[in-house]
Structures are given as C-alpha cells and as structure tokens.
Amino acid sequence: MRTSIQTPPTAIALAVDLLAGGNLVAFPTETVYGLGADARQPAAIELVYRVKGRPANNPLIVHVADTQTARQCAGEFPPTAEILAAAFWPGPLTMVLPRGPTICPAACAGLNTMAIRVPNHPIALEILARFGHPVCAPSANLSGHTSPTAAGHVLTELDGLIPLIVDGGSCTVGLESTVVDLTGPLPVVLRPGAITAEMIQRQLLNAGLNSRVLLEAPINPADPGEAMASPGLLARHYAPRTPAFRFTRTQADQVAQWLQRQPGQSRIVLLTFPDGPSFEKISQHLILPAGGAACAQQLYAMLRKADEGHFDTILLEMPELQTGVWAAIVDRMTRATQELA
Ligand code: TXA
Ligand code: MG
C-alpha cells in the first residue's frame, strides 16, 4: 500500500471517504497524531489493532467533534462529565464513561466503559464534523513506541501500512491527553497529561462538587494477559528502540562511573536540561527545553532524534520539578527509560 501525506483542504474530503470505507487515516490532534478508524465498524477497529500490533486488551479513545455528540455516544454522561467538558473541551482531556450502544465493543477491548474526547485541533475537528460519526484514534505509532508529534514521525512508523497521513505540522501539546475515569465513586486520573488532577479538582469545586480527584499509582501488571484498568499505564511504553537510561542530577557521579565502564567505541547521546551536567565520552549532547510546556511539546521529537542517530545508548536527565505538566513529563520519561544499573 502506498502511504500519501496530504494537507487540507484536499486531505479532509479524502480522510472522510477513507474512514467511511473502513480504512485507517492518521491525522493531527493537539496532543499527538492519531490513527483514526470508524468506531462503529468492527473490521476497521480490528485493522487498528493489527497495524499497530496493539494488544487486544488495550482499549482505544473515541474522538468526536463536540460535547453533544459525546453525550449521544456515551451510555451515560454524568454531571462531572458536563462540568469537565464545559471546562476543557475541545482539549487534551479524555473521560472514561459507560459505553454507549453505537460504539463497537472491540474499540473498548470488550469493556463496558469507553474513553472519549473532543480534540482541540482544527483539522481533527473538521474531519470529525464532516464525517459525523465517532472515530477511534490511538496514537499513530507501533504499539509501545514513542508517540508521533509530526506527520514525518507517523510515516517512519506506518509507511506502507495506511493509505493517508493528514499533515497538520507539529502538535502543540506534545504529550497524550489526560485520562480521567468518571465511572467510580471518585474521579481517578489514569494517565497524567497537560490537564492536571489539580485543574480537574478546581473545576469540580468551582461547580459546587466537593469531589476529591485521585491519582492512580503507576501499575506494572504481573500478568499482561489480564484486563487492566488502563493498559496504557504499562510500565514500559512510549519507548525508543535504543536502550535508554534515566538519571537525576544528584546521580551525576554515578553516571560518570557508569560511562567509565562502557567500551571505548560506544556511541552515547545525552539529553539534559539547559543547566544539566555534561560528561566525557558523550557523542552528542541534546538540550531539552527548560519550560514545562515547551519540554512536553518537544520531548517525543527529541527522543526520536536520539533514537534515529544510531547510538548505543540514550542517557536522559529527569526534571527536578514534579508538579503541573512536569508530572506527565516525568511519567512518560520514566516509561521510556530504564533505571541506570
Ligand atoms: O492524546 C491522546 O489521547 C491521543 C490522541 C490521538 O487523541 N490518543 C491516545 O490513544 O493516546 P492511545 O490509544 O495511545 O491511549 C489510550 C489510553 C490508554 O492508556 C488506554 O488504556 C486508555 O486510554 N483507555 C481507553 N479506554 C479506556 C477505558 N475504557 N478504561 C480505561 N482506560 C481506557
Ligand atoms: Mg499510544
């Protein structure tokens, strides 16, 4: 199959036709590029899992053009969903709600809940509005790898596997949406993102709901075959192919000692923040942006650059801050790397 990269306006009509025909289309959102399929067509959903190599027990996110459509797709749209939709949609917040009858069970990995969001990207919104039906869209990468934040990244992963990539330039947020589960007694953040638990809590409080928002601790299921609360929370995910290790600034001496033990011909790429440490034996030193929003936006592109440079090892400095968007950055960096041994 030939994969073509196209820009609007021609790309929009083409995308809508392909989706209607049960084909897959990669398109930009504000977070990362999504791999879209008609959420009502089981064969299209099956294709998503096959192309990505995604485990069948990892449910997809349904994308819709507006809150009204979301109300129709969900089995139930509780007051908390109304408050959060009014505050954050269109935007990088995914809500887990009871599944409605139009969404095919395979899209939700057989669960009776579904994940849904309205993305904040003009191209995504136009495709969704013109298509007029819910579209499942996991990140447009092979399962487990770094999510794509530019059309070129999608091509690297899926060339020859899908007919169309709609090019909308670089994603502005750069990390996947926050996933909040609204099906239990208290809202639970299953995946941190640009919209933080504090921001969600503040909106609920402002609306008079005295509801605490829980943050689910990362899980590492002993049995990967078992149904998981949110399988995107697998410990190893978003990962480059090159062995990648993380370190904190206080571990700089340990990194220097680790480097001493590496063979002389090793090629190592170092990613640090602007005032981070440098070491001998480093082949390339890339500097991550100091600001949270900029770091989130560029993190995956920089990990890809490090991955594509044919290095033996990637060394990644962890941020010192853990609050706000840094929580999501720390989460993705941790899943992309191993602890320095
Ligand atoms: O920003 C995003 O959310 C991007 C763009 C394309 O919208 N999409 C994305 O999709 O990141 P994906 O498939 O890579 O991640 C879906 C996440 C996974 O962590 C999955 O476990 C969780 O959503 N999820 C989906 N349905 C769920 C459900 N019913 N219950 C709990 N978690 C669910
Ligand atoms: Mg993904």
Side-chain angles (χ1 to χ4, degrees):
M1 182 185 294
R2 210 183 73 82
T3 302
S4 86
I5 300 192
Q6 305 233 6
T7 51
T10 36
I12 305 284
L14 199 54
V16 169
D17 282 352
L18 284 165
L19 288 170
N23 302 288
L24 306 188
V25 173
F27 63 89
T29 80
E30 80 281 36
T31 58
V32 301
Y33 275 69
L35 181 61
D38 186 341
R40 305 162 308 161
Q41 297 188 42
I45 302 302
E46 198 188 307
L47 204 51
V48 173
Y49 282 91
R50 187 143 27 95
V51 161
K52 276 187 62 104
R54 184 179 178 105
N57 62 355
N58 192 353
L60 308 174
I61 295 175
V62 172
H63 295 63
V64 290
D66 49 44
T67 304
Q68 181 51 30
T69 314
R71 287 190 195 102
Q72 290 161 5
C73 290
E76 194 191 324
F77 207 78
T80 45
E82 292 289 354
I83 294 162
L84 298 180
F88 299 116
W89 281 356
L93 181 73
T94 295
M95 302 190 216
V96 174
L97 297 169
R99 180 167 54 82
T102 54
I103 307 300
C104 88
C108 306
L111 299 171
N112 52 18
T113 58
M114 67 185 287
I116 189 161
R117 83 178 188 105
V118 179
N120 186 17
H121 193 290
I123 295 177
L125 288 172
E126 196 174 346
I127 293 172
L128 292 167
R130 293 230 199 149
F131 184 54
H133 303 291
V135 170
C136 286
S139 49
N141 52 279
L142 299 176
S143 186
H145 292 166
T146 312
S147 298
T149 53
H153 301 165
V154 182
L155 190 68
T156 312
E157 300 261 325
L158 303 178
D159 192 14
L161 298 174
I162 60 172
L164 177 66
I165 301 169
V166 182
D167 189 351
S170 291
C171 301
T172 52
V173 174
L175 295 181
E176 303 80 359
S177 61
T178 305
V179 178
V180 63
D181 185 349
L182 301 179
T183 61
L186 290 176
V188 182
V189 171
L190 300 176
R191 179 173 75 180
I195 293 174
T196 62
E198 298 77 44
M199 289 162 73
I200 293 170
Q201 173 119 32
R202 201 176 316 129
Q203 289 300 328
L204 297 177
L205 280 174
N206 286 349
L209 276 184
N210 195 8
S211 170
R212 271 190 318 129
V213 176
L214 305 178
L215 256 175
E216 181 156 294
I219 48 162
N220 189 1
D223 178 5
E226 199 138 294
M228 299 169 231
S230 193
L233 292 176
L234 275 174
R236 194 161 164 72
H237 210 86
Y238 315 107
R241 290 170 179 81
T242 312
F245 297 94
R246 62 179 173 273
F247 66 94
T248 58
R249 196 158 297 185
T250 55
Q251 289 176 302
D253 288 346
Q254 205 180 314
V255 175
Q257 285 162 19
W258 182 88
L259 283 163
Q260 287 306 320
R261 299 198 297 271
Q262 303 311 302
Q265 69 277 17
S266 310
R267 294 188 71 249
I268 294 161
V269 55
L270 173 71
L271 283 83
T272 71
F273 289 94
D275 50 355
S278 192
F279 304 96
E280 283 173 40
K281 277 187 147 188
I282 295 298
S283 305
Q284 196 177 357
H285 188 167
L286 301 173
I287 306 293
L288 295 157
C295 183
Q297 202 246 332
Q298 288 170 48
L299 176 65
Y300 287 155
M302 294 190 70
L303 282 176
R304 256 171 208 281
K305 187 170 171 196
D307 206 16
E308 283 160 9
H310 303 287
F311 295 99
D312 298 300
T313 308
I314 297 171
L315 288 178
L316 176 67
E317 186 189 25
M318 298 296 284
E320 292 185 306
L321 289 171
Q322 308 256 344
T323 52
V325 73
W326 291 109
I329 293 170
V330 167
D331 173 79
R332 303 309 192 280
M333 283 185 168
T334 304
R335 291 174 206 286
T337 56
Q338 306 163 54
E339 212 150 355
L340 197 66

